[in-house]
Amino acid sequence: MTTPTPASPDASPELTDRGPAEASSSDRRSIVLVFAGLMITMLLASLDQMIFSTALPTIVGELNGVNHMLWVTTAYILASTIMMPVYGKLGDLIGRKGLFIGAISIFIAGSIIGGLAPGMTALIIGRAVQGLGGGGLILLSQAIIADVIPARERGKYMGAMGGVFALASVGGPLLGGWFTESIGWRWAFWINVPLGFLAIAAAVLFLHLPKGRTTKPTIDGWGMALIAVAATCLILFTTWGGNTYAWGSTVIIGLIIGAIGASIAFVMVERRSPEPIIPLHLFAERNFVLTTVAGLITGIAMFGALAYLPTYLQMVTGKNATEAGLLMIPMMAGLLVASIGSGQVVSKTGRYKWFPIIGTLIVAGALVLLSTLTPTTSLVVIGCYIALMGVGLGLGMQILILIVQNTFPASEVGTATASNNFFRQIGASLGAAIVGSLFTTRLTNLLAEQMPDTGTALPRGENSLTPAILKSLPEPVREVIIGAYNDALTPIFLYMVPLVILAVFLLLFVKEKPLATRIDREPNVDLIGALDGPEDGQTAAPGIGSPQTSTSR
C-alpha cells in the first residue's frame, strides 16, 4: 500500500492552496508545454539522421568521396553511441535540464562545421560533433518523459514520439532531396540551427525538472573511457573489415583484440565503481536483457535497411532526390499509425507484451519482401513493402523503451534508458556499417566485373558516380550500373532475417509486469508534475500542485 509523505511546512502556498481542478489544469498545461519542447528536440535529432539519405549520393559525388560514403553516417552514429551512457548517467546524477541544453548546443556547433565543410574530412568531423550532441537529444527526451509521466500513461506519449520519428523518416529524405536540387545540400546542416535554438528556448522557458541528487556526484571516468574505446574498435572493425583492410590484416585483428580487451576491462571497472556508467545489476533483470538484445537486433535491421533505401531508389528507379524522399511516405504512414495506435492501446489497457513481438515479425516479413526487389519492380509494390516495414517498427520501437523504464525506479530511469539505447545504437552502428561495407564491396566488385564489357569508362570514376551522371550515360552502361546497385543491396536484406527472427524468439520470454501508475522518487529529489490526478482509492502522483511523494511503485 502506498503511504503519502506529508506536505512540507515550507511548501509554496501557491501550490498547496489551489483546488484540485485548478491544479489539474495547471499540471496539464505544464505537461503540454514540456512535451512540445521535447517533440521539437526529437524532430531535430530524427530529422538529422534521415535527411542525408537522399542528399548523400550528390554530397559524396561533389566532394569526390564515394568510397568514404558510409563514414558520413557511421561517424554520427558512433559519436552518439559513445555519448548515450554518459548523458544517461549524468542525467540521473546531476539533473537533465542543463545536459539537455548542452547537448542541443553541441549539435548546433556540429551542424555549423558540416555546413561550412570544404571536403569530406571536414564533413565527417562535423557529423561526429553532431553525434556528440545528438547522443543526448533522443535519450534525454525519453528520460524526461519518464520524469513527468507515470508508466501507465506514458504509452501514448512514447507513441507520439515514435510518430515524430515517422515524420522525420519521410520529411528528412524529402527535405534532403529538395535541398540537393534547389538551394544546395549544405542546408541539410543549416536547417538544424534555427530548430536547435527553438529547442533551447523551449527548454529554458518550459522545462522544470528534478535537480538530481543533492550529494556530490562521483563520475565514472574510467568506465566512460573504456566504453568509448570498445565501441570505437567495434565500429571500426565492422566498417573497415573486408573493405579498407583484409579481414586477416593486423589492423582488423588489433581492433578485435581492442574491443574485447576494452569490454573486459570495462566490466571489471564497473564492478568496483561507486557510480558505474552502466550498472551491472541492470542485467539481472530479465526484461532489460531481453528487450535490450531485441533492440540491438532491431537497430541492425532498421538502420541497415533504411540507410540505403533512398540511395537505391535514386540509382535503380531513376527518381530524383525529392521523388525518392516522397517514396518513403508509405513508411511514415505505417510507422505513424502503428506507433500512435499501439501507444494509445497500451495506455488504455496496460497490456503491451505482444506489440513488439508482432512488430518484429512484420519487420522480418518486410525484409524478405525487400530482398525480392528488381529494377523492374513497380513503385506501388516498393511502397507497400516500405509501409510494412514502418508498421513493424512502429509497433515495437517505443514499447521496448517503455518496458525498460517500467522495470527500474525513477532514480535509475535515465541510466536504464541510456543503456538500452546504447545497445540499440550499437546495433544501428553495426547495421549501417555492415550493410554499408557489404554494399560498397559488392557494388565495387560488380562494377569492376561488368563495366569492362560495356567498353565505356565512367567520366570521373566510380567514386564520383551520382544520379545525375548516371542519367547522362549510354543506355547499356546505365543498365549495368542499375543492375549492379540492385544486386549489391537486395540480398543483404535477406541476410538480416534470421537475426530478426531471433529477436522475436527472445521477446516471447518478456514478463508483462503491471505498468506503474505513479512516479517513484527518492525523498531528496525535487519533483515535477505528473499527468493525471489520483485514481479512486489511490494517492495522487507527485507533481506540480501536489506536495505528496509516492514511496512505492
Side-chain angles (χ1 to χ4, degrees), residues 312-328:
Y312 175 90
L313 292 171
Q314 290 181 73
M315 301 300 286
V316 175
T317 68
K319 300 301 179 183
N320 60 36
T322 303
E323 291 168 337
L326 288 171
L327 289 174
M328 298 297 289

Side-chain angles (χ1 to χ4, degrees), residues 198-222:
L198 184 61
I200 289 175
V204 170
L205 294 174
F206 306 132
L207 204 54
H208 306 289
L209 297 177
K211 295 178 180 178
R213 303 178 190 176
T214 57
T215 56
K216 183 178 179 181
T218 301
I219 306 301
D220 183 18
W222 280 108

Side-chain angles (χ1 to χ4, degrees), residues 209-299:
L209 297 177
K211 295 178 180 178
R213 303 178 190 176
T214 57
T215 56
K216 183 178 179 181
T218 301
I219 306 301
D220 183 18
W222 280 108
M224 293 178 184
L226 287 168
I227 201 171
V229 171
T232 300
C233 288
L234 181 63
I235 301 307
L236 291 180
F237 155 66
T238 55
T239 302
W240 288 345
N243 186 9
T244 305
Y245 300 97
W247 288 110
S249 67
T250 304
V251 173
I252 296 301
I253 293 174
L255 289 172
I256 295 173
I257 294 172
I260 295 173
S263 298
I264 294 173
F266 174 75
V267 172
M268 295 174 65
V269 167
E270 297 303 272
R271 292 179 64 183
R272 294 173 173 81
S273 174
E275 291 288 356
I277 189 171
I278 298 183
L280 299 184
H281 73 261
L282 297 180
F283 298 94
E285 291 285 349
R286 180 173 72 178
N287 279 4
F288 176 80
V289 174
L290 294 174
T291 55
T292 295
V293 176
L296 185 150
I297 293 172
T298 301

Side-chain angles (χ1 to χ4, degrees), residues 299-314:
I300 292 176
M302 179 171 67
F303 280 87
L306 301 184
Y308 294 93
L309 265 177
T311 297
Y312 175 90
L313 292 171
Q314 290 181 73

Side-chain angles (χ1 to χ4, degrees), residues 331-373:
M331 185 190 142
M332 179 205 72
L335 204 158
L336 185 66
V337 172
S339 181
I340 294 177
S342 61
Q344 292 286 342
V345 173
V346 168
S347 289
K348 184 176 181 179
T349 66
R351 307 302 298 271
Y352 54 83
K353 176 177 178 177
W354 289 99
F355 284 110
I357 293 173
I358 295 171
T360 308
L361 272 173
I362 293 174
V363 169
L367 288 171
V368 172
L369 293 173
L370 288 171
S371 71
T372 65
L373 295 179

Side-chain angles (χ1 to χ4, degrees), residues 362-426:
I362 293 174
V363 169
L367 288 171
V368 172
L369 293 173
L370 288 171
S371 71
T372 65
L373 295 179
T374 69
T376 59
T377 302
S378 74
L379 294 179
V380 173
V381 171
I382 294 175
C384 290
Y385 295 170
I386 294 173
L388 197 62
M389 173 71 80
V391 170
L393 294 173
L395 287 176
M397 202 162 52
Q398 301 300 323
I399 303 300
L400 293 179
I401 296 292
L402 178 62
I403 294 172
V404 169
Q405 292 181 342
N406 190 55
T407 304
F408 299 97
S411 60
E412 286 191 313
V413 74
T415 301
T417 303
S419 300
N420 180 269
N421 273 279
F422 171 77
F423 288 104
R424 181 182 295 189
Q425 279 292 84
I426 286 290

Side-chain angles (χ1 to χ4, degrees), residues 456-467:
T456 303
L458 296 176
R460 295 167 57 192
E462 63 187 36
N463 280 341
S464 298
L465 186 61
T466 66

